Amino acid sequence: MRRADRLFQIVQLIRGRRLSTAAFLAERLEVSPRTIYRDVADLQHQGVPIEGEAGVGYRLGAGFELPPLMFSQGEANALVAAARLAQAWLDAGLAREVEGALGKILSVLPPAARAAAESQALYAPSVGLDPRAQATLQSLREAVHSRHVVDVNYADVQGRASRRRLRPLGCFYWGKVWTLSAWCELRGDFRGFRIDRIVDLVVLDEQFRQEPGKTLADMLRQVEAEMGSRPPEWPPVPPHGALR
């Protein structure tokens, strides 16, 4: 790799992470940490606002921008493949955004690279979410973002219905199934719900605050602790019986 390319890649790697150590950068770029120290010092002398120091880590100061990037052929292929897969399993709103983003990506590629990316024999047939599940996913995704409480009518695997007031925390994709992880006010605990088993939902005007013990980070720590206490052969499953 030319040194100019390596300097560019260092900035890209630092920009994409909160903190990047010299060891991490050296491993990614296949050079020694000493080379990273020297390159970062040169970038700093050239005016690139890299903050931090050797032995601690580096981050990029706010407001620094690089010129638009040109994707490599492999990167373009990967983005087209990911977009095709995502469109089959996202809600309609995000699928439209993916289509728009893909169009922008393809528009900046040279003609030969664009043709190669579009001609990949990798497809995701549209047999993913049904329209009702798509609409439910979109409503829940937006409620997660806006922190609105939702009222759902849910049917479990036995068909038993229950009404729940939930604080939606995150939507998780498990291969063929989307689940909602939420704080359930009825149970006073985290619960998982298959989105295709939500009969109906209402997004309430009420918003919730991030309270200690009821956040997504708290739930993930709890799941990690539960998984750590199980035997190694125990298969990973969604939290709290989300696929029941």
Side-chain angles (χ1 to χ4, degrees):
M1 179 186 295
R2 296 182 308 161
R3 184 167 187 269
D5 294 333
R6 188 173 69 245
L7 294 177
F8 179 81
Q9 289 299 323
I10 287 174
V11 175
Q12 287 294 96
L13 289 168
I14 293 175
R15 182 168 66 169
R17 294 165 55 88
R18 290 185 178 181
L19 194 67
S20 299
T21 64
F24 166 78
L25 297 171
E27 181 180 357
R28 289 293 299 271
L29 298 174
E30 299 181 347
V31 295
S32 67
R34 184 182 297 274
T35 298
I36 296 297
Y37 297 148
R38 184 171 58 249
D39 287 347
V40 169
D42 288 345
L43 287 166
Q44 291 172 326
H45 292 153
Q46 294 171 26
V48 179
I50 297 176
E51 303 170 352
E53 59 186 52
V56 177
Y58 303 104
R59 65 181 180 182
L60 201 60
F64 182 74
E65 295 293 338
L66 288 174
L69 302 180
M70 177 57 68
F71 296 104
S72 69
Q73 185 65 66
E75 291 169 338
N77 291 349
L79 289 169
V80 170
R84 289 176 179 174
L85 292 171
Q87 283 179 302
W89 289 99
L90 294 174
D91 60 69
L94 273 184
R96 286 193 297 270
E97 298 296 338
V98 169
E99 185 176 1
L102 182 58
K104 291 179 181 178
I105 291 169
L106 294 175
S107 69
V108 301
L109 295 176
R114 175 172 183 168
E118 290 183 311
S119 64
Q120 292 183 94
L122 179 62
Y123 303 96
S126 55
V127 293
L129 296 180
D130 62 60
R132 185 177 66 84
Q134 283 187 327
T136 301
L137 175 60
Q138 181 166 345
S139 296
L140 291 173
R141 177 176 58 81
E142 293 170 351
V144 169
H145 179 72
S146 62
R147 296 181 185 171
H148 276 85
V149 177
V150 297
D151 183 88
V152 305
N153 182 13
Y154 187 75
D156 65 14
V157 68
Q158 283 83 29
R160 296 172 298 193
S162 62
R163 200 90 201 180
R164 310 287 186 97
R165 274 173 52 95
L166 307 174
R167 298 184 180 192
L169 301 177
C171 298
F172 294 80
Y173 180 60
W174 300 93
K176 291 185 178 180
V177 173
W178 278 96
T179 65
L180 169 72
S181 288
W183 176 264
C184 178
E185 295 187 355
L186 176 65
R187 302 301 184 192
D189 199 357
F190 299 110
R191 287 291 185 271
F193 302 87
R194 275 184 54 154
I195 286 177
D196 59 348
R197 291 183 182 151
I198 295 177
V199 179
D200 60 70
L201 72 91
V202 177
V203 180
L204 305 178
D205 292 334
E206 177 185 350
Q207 290 182 284
F208 62 91
R209 296 179 300 169
Q210 294 278 52
E211 297 181 33
K214 300 180 181 181
T215 68
L216 178 62
D218 293 319
M219 188 207 77
L220 294 175
R221 282 192 291 268
Q222 182 174 318
V223 171
E224 183 178 358
E226 291 175 356
M227 294 299 296
S229 65
R230 293 171 179 165
E233 68 274 12
W234 190 278
V237 296
H240 302 289
L243 297 186
R244 291 176 183 171

